Amino acid sequence: MRRTIFGLKLFVNGKFGKPSEFIFPIFIMGFSVFFLCWFILIRNNVGYIVNKIEKGLSARVFLQDEITEERAEEILKRLKTLHEIEYVELVSKEKAKEEFAHYFPEIAEALGNDNPFPISIYIRLKKTTNSSENLLKQLNEIPGVKEVVYQRELFNSFKKLRVSIDYLGSFLSIIFFIASAVIIGNLILIHIAARKEEIYLLYILGARDDFIFTPFIIFSIFFSLIGATIGILFFKLSILIAEYLKGKFLPTNQLENENLFVILGLSILVGLIATIISTGRYSYEI
Amino acid sequence: MLSFYGVYKSYSSPYFALSNINFKVEKGEFLFITGPSGAGKTTIIKLITREELPSKGKILFEGKDISAIPRGKLYSYRRKLGIIFQDFRLIPYLTVFDNVALPLILRGSGKQEIYNRVTTALKELEIIHKARELPPSLSGGEQQRVAIARAIAGNPDLLLADEPTGNLDPLLSRKIMRILQRINMKGTTVIIATHDQSIIDEFGKKVIFLSYGKIKRIKT
């Protein structure tokens, strides 16, 4: 412990670069964290919308044209037994025509006595139901069912959007964090180079790598944390500004504290890896 | 204690900074290595501290080949050495006390042990009154005494000095040499690389004469 404290004392009193050297690594780490926060927020919101669509989804189960009323009743009873389904209603051919006539009276009048509408069952899923899409696909396989119609396009487009956001956001986040790591690593290398003679002397006097490089690791963690904290503060500020200008614009507009701690941890990890690579590279040159 | 067996050192092939160096240093011995600039004195010191590796040959310290020490274990070998540099190499922002304490701190010595050893070394070098000062405020002679105190504070098995009087006037040089002789009389093996013939003549110890990287003669 005394050794570590002395190492820190040596480090703190040693040569430091210009303050401007520290601004860019802090800025890039801050920007990476800011971007990551927004990415997670948008991802959470799209996920929230997908979830909302999925839960409480309603659908129409169209039965085959030649189906008998008895078979239709059997299917209705079977659907009622499914615990994921909240409400079930058999829509007869006549009722279907009535519904149609309500919305499109002129076309319904033109149909005259013809009734091309099939018997169907209207269902509404419980709000707690997960993986509704799978359930609806299973309904398709019940003998006598012709087709299950639901808001597939909306549902699928949001799902695709979520996947796209995942890929793009993850890719850009990785790029930004790699850039942060490279820049922090370079800052560390500059500081090691500035203290080359001192480090050389310490090695000759019998210092171990951990004595020499622990202060650099603490230094990079400190800078990563400052950058990450600034990034998070700017993220919070940007939410406040956006809400002030546009009102509440996202269904869920806050990141959980756990998310923020993970982001802080990630930034520390990035700084740590960058420093270990830089110091490791350097230590073998001596 | 220390043996060189057919040691060659080349920085840029085919030229050798050292060629076929063979000598032994016994425990408690005092040895001068001398020769003109570029003769290879500093290279020998650097080979002993393992700042450099020999291109050929073996260097044994206490019977072990120092070239075979893995990088991760070098610190334990180097902690057996005390090194004095021509340019002192004191850390300018640490006090004299902390500079001298540095090797002991690196070894993980206790607080009391550090205090005792540092004050003993500083008293021996007659510089205890400067303990709280920073090296840049000291004269050249005082800085060299601090560097010697740092080298002996850890009670090394082998004390190496590379041109320890190179930056000092003749009077101060003799004073420093007498200090090193006193340390040697207490049982520490001392190797000094110097080109100052007057000092070598005055102290009458074992001398290795180098010329163009080769041992010209050994005077015992």
Side-chain angles (χ1 to χ4, degrees):
Chain A
M1 191 63 186
R2 186 181 293 118
R3 253 188 295 191
T4 309
I5 292 168
F6 195 84
L8 281 170
K9 183 180 165 186
L10 265 176
F11 182 82
V12 170
N13 288 309
K15 286 178 194 165
F16 271 95
K18 295 172 193 162
S20 57
E21 284 173 13
F22 307 120
I23 292 172
F24 193 52
I26 289 175
F27 169 78
I28 188 79
M29 178 55 84
F31 179 77
S32 304
V33 167
F34 177 82
F35 178 84
L36 185 64
C37 286
W38 268 103
F39 159 56
I40 293 173
L41 181 71
I42 291 169
R43 190 190 180 280
N44 282 357
N45 275 280
V46 174
Y48 178 84
I49 293 167
V50 170
N51 216 329
K52 276 274 175 195
I53 293 171
E54 196 173 22
K55 287 177 178 176
L57 192 68
S58 61
R60 188 65 73 90
V61 180
F62 288 100
L63 305 180
Q64 285 166 353
D65 296 337
E66 65 278 10
I67 200 158
T68 60
E69 279 193 17
E70 290 77 27
R71 178 65 191 140
E73 285 291 340
E74 272 174 29
I75 294 172
L76 184 72
K77 276 182 193 165
R78 186 169 168 187
L79 294 182
K80 277 180 180 171
T81 59
L82 296 174
H83 68 274
E84 295 97 334
I85 294 174
E86 184 181 65
Y87 178 79
V88 186
E89 184 190 346
L90 185 69
V91 182
S92 63
K93 285 172 78 79
E94 293 71 32
K95 192 164 181 198
K97 193 176 175 186
E98 272 173 37
E99 274 179 8
F100 184 80
H102 178 75
Y103 293 106
F104 309 102
E106 288 163 7
I107 304 172
E109 206 178 305
L111 285 174
N113 291 330
D114 289 344
N115 187 351
F117 300 100
I119 301 172
S120 65
I121 300 169
Y122 172 79
I123 59 169
R124 192 168 66 236
L125 303 184
K126 283 182 183 164
K127 286 199 181 351
T128 52
T129 304
N130 289 318
S131 56
S132 314
E133 205 183 11
N134 284 342
L135 175 74
L136 296 172
K137 275 179 191 165
Q138 281 172 24
L139 298 184
N140 255 327
E141 288 157 16
I142 296 174
V145 172
K146 187 179 176 186
E147 192 183 5
V148 180
V149 178
Y150 63 103
Q151 299 145 299
R152 184 186 281 133
E153 274 184 24
L154 182 66
F155 182 72
N156 285 344
S157 57
F158 268 98
K159 273 186 101 172
K160 277 180 191 162
L161 180 64
R162 186 167 67 173
V163 172
S164 307
I165 288 170
D166 276 358
Y167 280 120
L168 186 68
S170 304
F171 174 74
L172 289 176
S173 296
I174 289 167
I175 295 286
F176 289 143
F177 275 102
I178 287 173
S180 302
V182 168
I183 289 161
I184 289 171
N186 267 339
L187 178 72
I188 296 297
L189 274 181
I190 289 168
H191 276 78
I192 291 173
R195 293 155 188 251
K196 196 171 183 172
E197 284 179 17
E198 187 184 304
I199 292 172
Y200 195 80
L201 173 70
L202 290 171
Y203 270 126
I204 299 301
L205 294 180
R208 284 180 4 183
D209 285 342
D210 60 341
F211 176 84
I212 291 169
F213 294 118
T214 301
F216 287 96
I217 289 170
I218 294 171
F219 174 68
S220 79
I221 287 175
F222 178 68
F223 270 85
S224 302
L225 263 181
I226 290 178
T229 308
I230 289 172
I232 288 171
L233 289 176
F234 267 91
F235 164 72
K236 295 261 184 194
L237 187 68
S238 67
I239 294 259
L240 286 176
I241 292 170
E243 280 189 352
Y244 176 75
L245 296 174
K246 292 262 180 189
K248 193 168 161 45
F249 66 108
L250 291 167
T252 54
N253 66 357
Q254 284 300 323
L255 289 187
E256 301 289 333
N257 281 341
E258 296 91 78
N259 288 139
L260 295 178
F261 281 122
V262 168
I263 290 169
L264 281 178
L266 183 69
S267 61
I268 289 171
L269 189 70
V270 168
L272 193 67
I273 290 170
T275 310
I276 288 170
I277 292 170
S278 299
T279 55
R281 219 172 73 190
Y282 190 85
S283 67
Y284 278 91
E285 288 173 14
I286 296 176
Chain B
M1 174 181 231
L2 181 77
S3 316
F4 273 54
Y5 291 108
V7 172
Y8 287 76
K9 177 65 189 173
S10 167
Y11 290 103
S12 55
S13 187
Y15 305 104
F16 284 96
L18 291 175
S19 295
N20 196 23
I21 302 294
N22 292 283
F23 68 87
K24 273 186 181 181
V25 183
E26 299 300 335
K27 192 167 169 53
E29 210 171 357
F30 195 114
L31 170 74
F32 282 112
I33 299 170
T34 191
S37 292
K41 302 183 295 287
T42 301
T43 304
I44 287 180
I45 298 288
K46 284 187 169 181
L47 287 170
I48 298 170
T49 58
R50 237 204 77 170
E51 289 168 73
E52 300 287 348
L53 285 166
S55 307
K56 208 173 138 188
K58 271 185 180 180
I59 303 166
L60 303 184
F61 180 80
E62 292 171 344
K64 288 176 187 166
D65 184 358
I66 63 169
S67 304
I69 303 170
R71 192 191 165 279
K73 297 277 177 197
L74 261 182
Y75 68 91
S76 79
Y77 163 67
R78 284 175 174 158
R79 286 175 187 179
K80 292 177 182 170
L81 311 177
I83 304 157
I84 303 161
F85 303 95
Q86 182 181 359
D87 54 356
F88 322 133
R89 297 206 199 166
L90 299 173
I91 296 176
Y93 46 82
L94 289 184
T95 62
V96 165
F97 186 95
D98 283 347
N99 264 289
V100 176
L102 197 52
L104 297 165
I105 292 165
L106 294 175
R107 285 170 207 196
S109 302
K111 201 174 176 181
Q112 193 58 46
E113 189 193 350
I114 291 172
Y115 179 80
N116 291 341
R117 281 180 180 243
V118 172
T119 47
T120 305
L122 289 175
K123 274 180 191 164
E124 200 167 340
L125 274 297
E126 297 166 20
I127 202 162
I128 187 78
H129 58 290
K130 301 274 184 180
R132 297 285 152 216
E133 290 191 27
L134 295 173
S137 68
L138 307 179
S139 69
E142 286 169 332
Q143 288 192 46
Q144 190 59 297
R145 277 189 279 164
V146 175
I148 295 170
R150 181 180 64 191
I152 64 166
N155 198 17
D157 296 340
L158 174 62
L159 186 67
L160 299 165
D162 187 11
E163 301 281 7
T165 58
N167 286 332
L168 307 176
D169 61 60
L171 197 70
L172 206 54
S173 297
R174 268 150 194 80
K175 201 172 174 184
I176 295 293
M177 287 310 299
R178 274 194 287 275
I179 292 167
L180 292 174
Q181 197 177 25
R182 212 163 61 221
I183 293 162
N184 172 246
M185 283 161 76
K186 286 181 180 173
T188 306
T189 311
V190 177
I191 298 176
I192 297 174
T194 181
H195 66 273
D196 191 337
Q197 194 57 45
S198 63
I199 283 177
I200 296 168
D201 293 341
E202 190 180 325
F203 284 84
K205 301 283 183 183
K206 184 177 173 182
V207 187
I208 292 175
F209 292 92
L210 290 175
S211 180
Y212 297 107
K214 290 178 182 163
I215 294 179
K216 221 165 134 190
R217 66 191 168 95
I218 297 177
K219 187 193 135 211
T220 50

